[in-house]
Amino acid sequence: DALPIYPTVRALTTTAPLIQPPEPSVNSPSATVKHPDFIMQLPNQEDFICLNVNGKRNSIITLIADSGIGVWVNGTIGSQRRNVVSFEITYKDPDVVVYVSKDKIMVESAKGTTVMDWKNPPSFILNSMTISVDEDILTITADGKITISISYSQSSKCCLGLHLMDVHRFSNSVTGLIGQFYFNTTMDTNMRDNPTAQETSVTVQGNKIKATRTLKRNYKTKLNPNDTISCWLVNWKWN
């Protein structure tokens, strides 16, 4: 039952490569609406980007690496090559590592190791950092850093959903599969602002990729687990 301990992001020698152009996909109106792996809303953008990841079983992907603010996030692909099933969140100042899975939450710090569950756990406070869980939503806040929230939807195969807030605090050095979207990312405004357009292009770190308008289940809402969101879908393959 022990939560797997993975090497911290700072110990990794490789990072997720930039997104490659996705393979063409077909969206059928009759298809089942599913959760995306990640939902992102970029700074000064009204549109949402839904990101799906297809990676090697049990592989670790660097999602966020920002040495400027001292935050790193790893995600572990599950056995079905489809979902991120656990997260490792590493902070510098204060030095804290948070391991998150659907089974438990574990915090390692100068205080030692603290194990929390998803049901009514006590809050964890260290200097400017607060870690709390409320109604199956884990929230981590710290002065000068982005706010990270992870929701646990027990009615969904997706299980864990990552939310990022205060993203204006990212530094210009942010990288990683998700982090790269938060610096110098632009969308084709002609297609984006056309309500009938089904495809657009997104330029991420100088690479232009295709995005398809689609409807996905919104794991960000707890009031209605079947709520949907209109977003631009990007498919990413981890070889």
Side-chain angles (χ1 to χ4, degrees):
D1 295 332
L3 189 68
I5 305 298
Y6 304 115
T8 64
V9 179
R10 284 173 286 178
L12 295 177
T13 57
T14 60
T15 58
L18 292 175
I19 289 179
Q20 301 300 317
E23 299 177 357
S25 61
V26 177
N27 292 316
S28 169
S30 61
T32 302
V33 178
K34 299 180 179 180
H35 282 286
D37 290 326
F38 303 105
I39 300 174
M40 299 176 287
Q41 187 173 25
L42 307 185
N44 304 316
Q45 297 279 353
E46 295 182 359
D47 295 275
F48 289 91
I49 293 178
C50 291
L51 180 63
N52 276 347
V53 178
N54 183 7
K56 293 181 179 179
R57 293 182 179 91
N58 304 313
S59 61
I60 300 175
I61 297 177
T62 302
L63 300 174
I64 296 170
D66 193 342
S67 58
I69 63 172
V71 177
W72 295 262
V73 180
N74 272 353
T76 301
I77 299 292
S79 60
Q80 301 301 315
R81 294 173 55 95
R82 181 60 185 81
N83 296 326
V84 175
V85 297
S86 64
F87 293 94
E88 176 200 0
I89 307 166
T90 302
Y91 288 87
K92 181 179 181 181
D93 191 24
D95 291 332
V96 174
V97 184
V98 184
Y99 303 95
V100 184
S101 73
K102 65 180 181 179
D103 298 317
K104 64 184 71 174
I105 302 158
M106 188 165 68
V107 182
E108 291 187 350
S109 69
K111 288 184 174 182
T113 300
T114 302
V115 179
M116 309 165 68
D117 60 31
W118 288 97
K119 299 297 182 183
N120 304 316
S123 296
F124 175 91
I125 300 175
L126 178 64
N127 300 335
S128 66
M129 174 177 286
T130 300
I131 302 174
S132 60
V133 179
D134 182 37
E135 295 185 355
D136 293 335
I137 299 179
L138 166 72
T139 302
I140 308 173
T141 61
D143 288 349
K145 304 182 189 298
I146 60 171
T147 296
I148 296 176
S149 180
I150 297 176
S151 61
Y152 177 24
S153 177
Q154 300 187 43
S155 62
S156 168
K157 292 182 180 179
C158 181
C159 289
L160 300 176
L162 177 68
H163 321 253
L164 301 177
M165 294 162 281
D166 302 318
V167 294
H168 63 280
R169 294 175 178 169
F170 275 126
S171 75
N172 293 347
S173 62
V174 61
T175 61
L177 175 59
I178 293 177
Q180 64 182 330
F181 278 87
Y182 288 93
F183 183 64
N184 284 346
T185 294
T186 59
M187 298 184 68
D188 184 337
T189 56
N190 292 330
M191 299 299 289
R192 183 195 66 190
D193 297 336
N194 181 353
T196 64
Q198 295 303 306
E199 291 185 0
T200 189
S201 61
V202 182
T203 301
V204 183
Q205 302 295 314
N207 294 320
K208 184 174 288 188
I209 57 178
K210 186 178 73 174
T212 305
R213 191 189 297 275
T214 188
L215 197 65
K216 290 291 183 181
R217 290 180 65 185
N218 186 7
Y219 62 67
K220 299 180 71 173
T221 176
K222 298 297 292 183
L223 297 177
N224 181 4
N226 294 317
D227 190 19
T228 57
I229 186 172
S230 176
C231 60
W232 293 103
L233 177 66
V234 172
N235 290 306
W236 181 82
K237 186 174 183 179
W238 172 268
N239 295 318

